[in-house]
Amino acid sequence: MPRTDKRARLVAAADTVARGPGFTHSSLADIAARADVPVGNIYYWFKTKRELGEALVEARATHYRALRRQWDRTLPPRRRVDAFIEMVAANRDTLAAEGCPIGSICTELRRHDPALAAQAGTMLSDFLRWLEAQFRAMGHGRASPGLASHTLSSLQGASLLSHALDDPAHVAREARHLKRWLAGLRPVN
Amino acid sequence: MPRTDKRARLVAAADTVARGPGFTHSSLADIAARADVPVGNIYYWFKTKRELGEALVEARATHYRALRRQWDRTLPPRRRVDAFIEMVAANRDTLAAEGCPIGSICTELRRHDPALAAQAGTMLSDFLRWLEAQFRAMGHGRASPGLASHTLSSLQGASLLSHALDDPAHVAREARHLKRWLAGLRPVN
DNA sequence: GTCTATAGGCAGATAGAC
DNA sequence: GTCTATCTGCCTATAGAC
């Protein structure tokens, strides 16, 4: 176990630049400066820039796992999906300014480092599986994968539109649309 | 007017690399090699790499304008929206492999060159305005902007999921979902 | 564990012959 | 108009003192 918090500061700085210019587009000098760590010292904690990227993706994945676990502990299935949609809606200004921290990094890494992109992709597939479980618990049976995919697609697409056009309205509108759609859904059983 | 097709070959090569590793991540050497043009000669046709990027965005925008115009000439409003959705569905394998040529470049440029990203953003807002016009023609009145935003969000989100997870099924599923939704829509008048 | 200095490579861009 | 050669600067990564 490290006695300093430098590793954590580096990961946090990598997370910050990934929300701004992007991880791939940022230099280790940028990240080191933001973490207040000399550039060369990064290599004591991470063998390569790629390893720092892995730590960043892992940190984000852990964050979202914790979020879902909290919803699972405190809310019934239907309200869990609502909570997810409401979180996205509440973040609309940040989403417009920086894009979705999940979708953006997946898109960014996909072309540059497929293996790391696959790791980042688990953030999406974890959310898909979790949404599917909620829809199953709500009684939607085999329709659940489609409902989960639609929910996540809409929110990812709205984030992309809001980010690209610098207009939070798309996220707000799509969240409203999705909640109305959810309210009107009839379970099969 | 240039007497050679080198400019066009350079733009085409830029378009190709933008679908692969991304425009920003590709070097002028890559693009020049692909266009079979010596690197230094790029600067006779374009003052900077950025100017080549502008030409690439303009070429794509022109392509999609021509597509919409053809649909406008040959189909009634309802079928135009169908044609758009069907085009996306038909391209699902390419979308999974390369991502959406519109959404990806907007996301890529947003952080790196906001001014150029705004230019790329017109590809999205042009599609939004066009979809809105079709919904208005179908009698949806003031609901039209929301319907247009939902249609484009869903497809962009599905493309993102398919690309990130390397699985065309998300685009296929979302296109089906969207066509069923469209068929069930009741115009206000 | 921490830091400085620097190697080695590649990027975008330019100069100037033809 | 075309092409080669090259400049300058930044990037990742390493060597090695402390």
Side-chain angles (χ1 to χ4, degrees), chain B residues 86-117:
Chain B
E86 280 158 17
M87 177 189 73
V88 175
N91 286 343
R92 61 187 178 278
D93 289 337
T94 309
L95 289 170
E98 304 176 346
C100 170
I102 300 178
S104 298
I105 206 166
C106 286
T107 305
E108 180 188 345
L109 294 175
R110 181 64 154 78
R111 292 101 183 281
H112 183 257
D113 187 333
L116 190 47

Side-chain angles (χ1 to χ4, degrees), chain A residues 18-22 24-25 96-99 103-104 106-107 110-112 121 124-125 128 145-146 149-150 152-154 156-158 160-161 163-166 170 173-174 177 181, chain B residues 18-22 24-25 96-99 103-104 106-107 110-112 121 124-125 128 145-146 149-150 152-154 156-158 160-161 163-166 170 173-174 177 181:
Chain A
R19 288 167 199 270
T24 322
H25 278 96
E98 305 176 345
S104 298
C106 286
T107 305
R110 181 64 154 78
R111 292 101 183 280
H112 183 257
L124 286 172
S125 48
L128 273 177
S149 175
H150 179 66
L152 199 55
S153 284
S154 295
Q156 282 295 328
L160 191 150
L161 284 188
H163 184 44
L165 302 175
D166 198 16
H170 295 281
R173 192 152 41 190
E174 200 58 22
H177 188 109
W181 169 75
Chain B
R19 289 168 199 269
T24 323
H25 279 95
E98 304 176 346
S104 298
C106 286
T107 305
R110 181 64 154 78
R111 292 101 183 281
H112 183 257
L124 286 172
S125 49
L128 273 177
S149 175
H150 178 66
L152 199 55
S153 284
S154 295
Q156 281 296 329
L160 191 149
L161 285 188
H163 184 44
L165 302 175
D166 198 15
H170 295 282
R173 192 153 40 190
E174 200 59 21
H177 187 109
W181 170 75

